[in-house]
């Protein structure tokens, strides 16, 4: 069933409802993997989207598919309540408000006395203060905000809020053991000494990769090679390929597709470039480069400034191709600065952003905060 905490046995349910794999899904996946390794019982509840469900099934723990459509989805709440009744103690960890509504209704239907509801807020959005949301806030045992920015923007929308909440920056899960990855320089003919630029994540407009290609077109220097890791919308990717061709960059840019784990690839990079246009709540990709000991250039439209210091990277305005090109050019020309930034980033990561630190804080919220 689960592990004994205090008195009795508890099981953690992770509730994810998004149709595609993103940062929130990776957060729930890594957290579930660590919970399982520590002996906790874990059940995953997901909306019926194959791309997400199939990844979650890799964990080898029960995965249930429910609609998870929010407040009016009584069928999902009833089905979840049946699962809760089989457990002595339950942590329901929701990753958006739709799943939080389902969790709150299920607890009420089940009449479960030892059931805590935790919500992680992965977005930078103002909280809503309609009556049904006010009701939901009262049902939550704790809200985890992934950054100070996510917390402040949410609270600016709800007015007075006295529910338990805290900021817990995401941690980076570093897989153990050796993993196969192609030697990029050899496979793609990148000469020794030519810096490798890398960008990883979803290939979609909000991640700003078209701005990166525009910036590379503005560069006077051509002594670099860019690798793009990730998958995304075919139309957007097709547009990127066409722009790469138009800019005359075809020989210096390659797409590697989705790769997991990503760290064997990041280890081969000289500079990470993350030109997101979105208001990122807690950018995991930025943390990945800190963990890998690599310098990075990132846009500063969200919580990047909470994660990336000037010693570890360069922040530029989102959507500003000229500023991005200037930052890339400066780091391409200064290997010593790149190395110093990479070392500083790794030190910062080890001090504040390890997965051990993150996991201890989340488990503390589960059973105490």
């Amino acid at each position: 069933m689960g592990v004994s905490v205090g008195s009795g046995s508890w099981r953690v349910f992770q509730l994810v409802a998004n149709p595609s794999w993103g940062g929130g899904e990776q957060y729930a996946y890594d957290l579930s993997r660590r919970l399982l390794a520590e002996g906790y019982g874990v059940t995953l509840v997901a909306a019926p989207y194959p791309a997400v469900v199939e990844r979650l099934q890799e964990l080898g723990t029960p995965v249930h598919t429910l609609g998870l459509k929010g407040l009016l989805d009584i069928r999902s709440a009833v089905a979840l309540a049946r699962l809760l009744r089989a457990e002595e103690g339950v942590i329901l960890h929701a990753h958006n408000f739709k799943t939080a509504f389902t969790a709150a209704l299920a607890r009420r239907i089940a009449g479960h006395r030892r059931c805590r509801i935790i919500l992680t807020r992965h977005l930078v959005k103002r909280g809503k203060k309609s009556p049904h949301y006010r009701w939901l806030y009262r049902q939550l045992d704790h809200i985890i905000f992934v950054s100070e920015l996510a917390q402040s923007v949410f609270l600016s929308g709800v007015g007075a809020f006295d529910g338990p909440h805290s900021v817990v920056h995401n941690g980076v899960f570093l897989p153990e053991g050796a993993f196969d990855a192609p030697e990029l320089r050899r496979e793609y003919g990148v000469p020794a000494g030519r810096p490798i630029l890398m960008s990883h994540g979803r290939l979609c407009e909000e991640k700003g990769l078209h701005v990166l290609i525009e910036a590379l077109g503005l560069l006077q220097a051509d002594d670099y090679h860019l690798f793009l890791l990730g998958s995304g919308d075919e139309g957007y990717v097709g547009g990127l390929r066409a722009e790469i061709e138009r800019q005359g960059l075809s020989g210096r840019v390659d797409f590697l597709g989705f790769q997991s784990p990503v760290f064997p690839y990041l280890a081969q990079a000289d500079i990470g470039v993350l030109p997101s246009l979105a208001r990122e709540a807690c950018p995991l990709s930025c943390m990945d480069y800190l963990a890998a000991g690599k310098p990075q250039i990132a846009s500063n439209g969200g919580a990047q400034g909470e994660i990336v210091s000037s010693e570890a990277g360069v922040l530029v305005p989102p959507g500003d191709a000229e500023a991005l090109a200037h930052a890339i050019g400066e780091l391409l020309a200064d290997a010593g600065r790149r190395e110093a930034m990479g070392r500083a980033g790794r030190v910062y990561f080890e001090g504040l952003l390890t997965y051990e630190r993150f996991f201890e804080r989340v488990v503390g919220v589960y059973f105490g905060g």
Side-chain angles (χ1 to χ4, degrees):
M1 296 249 304
V3 299
S4 177
V5 179
S7 61
S9 182
W10 292 76
R11 190 172 188 88
V12 179
F13 282 65
Q14 301 285 346
L15 279 62
V16 294
N18 287 339
S20 60
W21 197 266
E25 291 66 45
Q26 191 66 47
Y27 177 109
Y29 182 96
D30 289 339
L31 182 53
S32 298
R33 177 164 49 180
R34 182 58 181 269
L35 287 163
L36 289 166
E38 296 291 331
Y40 292 85
V42 176
T43 293
L44 300 161
V45 181
Y49 298 109
V52 174
V53 172
E54 290 171 10
R55 288 286 308 280
L56 295 177
Q57 288 172 335
E58 295 173 3
L59 292 169
T61 197
V63 179
H64 298 271
T65 56
L66 301 176
L68 299 178
K69 297 177 181 178
L71 178 61
L72 300 180
D73 183 9
I74 303 302
R75 178 175 295 182
S76 290
V78 170
L80 181 57
R82 292 195 193 100
L83 297 175
L84 301 187
R85 291 191 185 106
E87 306 297 339
E88 186 176 346
V90 175
I91 304 294
L92 290 175
H93 192 160
H95 294 277
N96 61 25
F97 279 107
K98 281 186 178 181
T99 55
F101 274 116
T102 300
L105 292 171
R107 180 171 67 180
R108 177 161 291 198
I109 293 167
H112 208 302
R113 296 179 178 274
R114 299 183 70 242
C115 177
R116 286 172 56 81
I117 301 175
I118 312 299
L119 168 70
T120 292
R121 182 63 164 167
H122 295 280
L123 301 177
V124 180
K125 285 188 176 180
R126 289 165 58 89
K128 298 179 181 179
K129 51 186 178 182
S130 60
H132 56 287
Y133 272 90
R134 288 288 188 190
W135 173 84
L136 177 61
Y137 301 153
R138 293 193 296 271
Q139 311 310 307
L140 300 177
D141 292 282
H142 201 105
I143 300 178
I144 297 172
F145 295 98
V146 297
S147 64
E148 297 287 349
L149 177 65
Q151 176 179 258
S152 64
V153 172
F154 175 84
L155 295 178
S156 72
V158 301
F161 183 81
D162 57 3
H165 62 280
S166 60
V167 173
V168 181
H169 285 123
N170 296 341
V172 175
F173 185 91
L174 297 176
E176 297 180 355
F179 296 90
D180 292 331
E183 186 177 331
L184 297 178
R185 289 189 182 277
R186 182 179 62 194
E187 185 162 321
Y188 290 89
V190 182
R194 176 174 292 177
I196 289 177
L197 307 179
M198 192 168 288
S199 189
H200 71 290
R202 285 183 294 123
L203 305 185
C204 59
E205 186 171 1
E206 71 174 16
K207 295 301 181 182
L209 296 171
H210 56 288
V211 181
L212 172 55
I213 300 307
E214 181 183 353
L216 294 180
L218 298 173
L219 273 180
Q220 298 300 314
D222 61 0
D223 194 26
Y224 64 85
H225 198 99
L226 170 66
F227 290 104
L228 299 174
L229 283 75
S231 58
D233 177 73
E234 290 183 5
Y236 181 73
V237 173
L240 285 180
R241 292 184 184 277
E243 184 62 16
I244 289 166
E245 180 73 24
R246 192 183 74 80
Q247 296 276 8
L249 302 174
S250 297
R252 282 175 277 159
V253 181
D254 281 292
F255 291 79
L256 300 183
F258 176 81
Q259 302 295 336
S260 181
V262 73
F263 291 99
Y265 294 86
L266 302 192
Q268 301 178 63
D270 293 288
I271 306 170
V273 189
L274 300 166
S276 177
L277 304 179
R279 204 173 187 190
E280 303 278 2
C282 191
L284 286 171
S285 295
C286 289
M287 294 183 179
D288 289 341
Y289 287 107
L290 296 176
K294 302 295 181 178
Q296 62 186 283
I297 301 166
S299 57
N300 62 353
Q304 289 90 337
E306 294 180 38
I307 305 301
V308 183
S309 70
S310 59
E311 290 78 22
V314 179
L315 297 178
V316 299
D320 190 333
E322 291 186 4
L324 183 57
H326 179 74
I328 293 172
E330 285 197 334
L331 280 190
L332 285 175
D334 194 339
R337 187 181 176 204
R338 296 199 302 265
E339 292 173 3
M341 282 184 163
R343 289 193 299 269
R346 179 66 189 191
V347 168
Y348 181 74
F349 169 80
E350 291 286 357
L352 293 174
L353 298 174
T354 63
Y355 205 81
E356 288 70 23
R357 179 183 174 91
F358 162 81
F359 183 75
E360 288 175 3
R361 295 194 65 191
V362 170
V363 170
V365 168
Y366 280 177
F367 300 111

